[in-house]
Amino acid sequence: MRQDLANMVYEDIGFEDITTQAVIPPGLQVKGKIIAKEPGIIAGMELALDIFADFNVTVEPMVENGENISEGQVILEISGDPRTILTVERTVLNLLMRMSGIATLTSKIVKKVRSVNPDATVAGTRKTTPGLQLFEKNAIRAGGGDTHRFRLDDGVLIKDNHLALVGGVGEAISRARRYVSFTKKIEIEVETLEEALQAARAGADIIMLDNMEPERINQVLKALEDENLRDKVIIEVSGGINENNIVQFANTKVDVISTGYITHSARSLDLSLDLEKIH
């Protein structure tokens, strides 16, 4: 991860920061603060600390990941060579702002869900930014959500295109069960009540009800209860879920609500860096 962060910085620098090299004389020392310009949930502090440490900038964190921050609050304090600080500034701020935005939106949605379904889990999806998947997933965690799968090797998730190529729910689950270790859960995405019942009968660990309206979800839950299958599986819902409709899905009393909205639609939290010359 440290190398990934360094690569991000050097990608932004290119051959040199010509503005800083041209304008800032050598030998100066500065102190500075990263300040919140709006309230939210902070995330990405470990990335900021790692980048500054790798570039010999002294840094002192004022908050921890997952902490509520208010407008005007100091997030961290730094000191060192202004040429270095100005060169890495944008990469640090971009990561902090992006991750804090995801954490803030996740926290907002988790609170909505817990207000009507305290036992429900809000999870992210793999609709993340390539290269930032680990960071964005950790931001979800900082906001009180569940990361779901980080990568494809975390667990089995059989989707519609898998089913289309192997002949159906039962066959897909059977193939997965023969292939994977007992340590891996088998999840399957279904679109109909009958597919959900087939998946539960075939021994799926998790059934994802994809793009189902709340009324239809309740029908599936009732059908599983009627066959004494409801307690044998985790029921997840996903598809088109956002902050405006998530309470409707939480009211169905499902176990997990997964949504790409908390990553692909999160707005970056506004943070800024202010510097002051020491000598």
Side-chain angles (χ1 to χ4, degrees), residues 13 91 95 103 155 179-180 188-189 231 235 259 271 273:
I13 295 172
T91 302
L95 287 169
Y179 184 82
V180 301
I188 186 165
E189 175 186 284
D231 293 336
I235 300 299
T259 172
L271 307 172
L273 171 65

Side-chain angles (χ1 to χ4, degrees), residues 212-229:
M212 285 192 188
E213 294 298 322
E215 182 179 355
R216 189 63 169 163
I217 291 168
N218 283 326
Q219 291 174 359
V220 171
L221 295 176
K222 177 64 165 57
L224 290 170
E225 288 173 357
D226 289 345
E227 292 200 20
N228 294 317
L229 294 170

Side-chain angles (χ1 to χ4, degrees), residues 17 25 33 35 54-55 66 69 75 119-120 131 150 157 166 168 179 181 209 279:
D17 177 359
K33 300 174 181 179
I35 300 170
D54 281 350
F55 285 85
I69 57 174
I75 305 307
D119 297 323
F150 276 90
L157 177 44
V166 299
Y179 184 82
S181 163
L209 308 181
H279 59 77

